[in-house]
Amino acid sequence: MFFGVFTTLVNWGTYFIFTRFLGVSIYWSNIWAWFFAVLFAYLTNRSWVFHSKTTGTLAITRELLAFYGSRAFSGGVDLFLLFVMVHLLSIHDFVAKILIGVIVVILNYVLSKLVFRYHQGKNDPK
């Protein structure tokens, strides 16, 4: 949960910088925030949360792609809920990001657990 919170802070911070300082639309800002947060999450989850023992360039690349793939799903949920909350429910975009963050942290933890468990099993010597 600790790194999930930090990943969320990376997401929110990136989003804030892109929307407030760079003037980027909320959707493009959300996509960039997702990209940087997922990269941060992969690096921290791989090492400190799930203690991945996957080695070798090909195996690590597969693990990284599976991680990004699982996060693409939660990123889609994030983007969809942002649209619903901001445009349909008229919630301020940053308030929406905070509310969505709770859902996404839980979803990401479950998906990450599945990715690292699957790839750890694929890397075990038989």
Side-chain angles (χ1 to χ4, degrees), residues 56-111:
T57 304
L58 184 58
I60 290 172
T61 301
R62 285 183 180 149
E63 184 181 77
L64 176 63
L65 291 174
F67 190 82
Y68 261 93
S70 71
R71 294 292 173 107
F73 174 73
S74 64
V77 169
D78 188 342
L79 202 55
F80 173 75
L81 290 176
L82 185 66
F83 172 78
V84 169
M85 290 182 174
V86 172
H87 290 289
L88 301 181
L89 301 177
S90 299
I91 297 173
H92 187 275
D93 66 308
F94 211 73
V95 172
K97 285 291 289 175
I98 292 169
L99 296 173
I100 294 164
V102 174
I103 297 165
V104 170
V105 164
I106 294 166
L107 183 58
N108 283 340
Y109 178 77
V110 171
L111 293 172

Side-chain angles (χ1 to χ4, degrees), residues 7 10-11 31-48 64 67-68 71 116:
T7 299
V10 168
N11 185 295
I31 290 167
W32 280 109
W34 172 86
F35 177 81
F36 288 115
V38 172
L39 181 60
F40 175 82
Y42 174 73
L43 296 173
T44 57
N45 279 294
R46 182 182 201 299
S47 299
W48 294 299
L64 176 63
F67 190 82
Y68 261 93
R71 294 292 173 107
F116 285 109

Side-chain angles (χ1 to χ4, degrees), residues 3-67:
F3 287 109
V5 169
F6 274 102
T7 299
T8 301
L9 292 175
V10 168
N11 185 295
W12 291 347
T14 304
Y15 179 84
F16 186 80
I17 289 167
F18 273 76
T19 57
R20 300 318 190 261
F21 292 110
L22 300 177
V24 178
S25 77
I26 63 172
Y27 300 110
W28 280 109
S29 295
N30 200 53
I31 290 167
W32 280 109
W34 172 86
F35 177 81
F36 288 115
V38 172
L39 181 60
F40 175 82
Y42 174 73
L43 296 173
T44 57
N45 279 294
R46 182 182 201 299
S47 299
W48 294 299
V49 178
F50 298 107
H51 308 287
S52 176
K53 305 274 190 274
T54 301
T55 58
T57 304
L58 184 58
I60 290 172
T61 301
R62 285 183 180 149
E63 184 181 77
L64 176 63
L65 291 174
F67 190 82

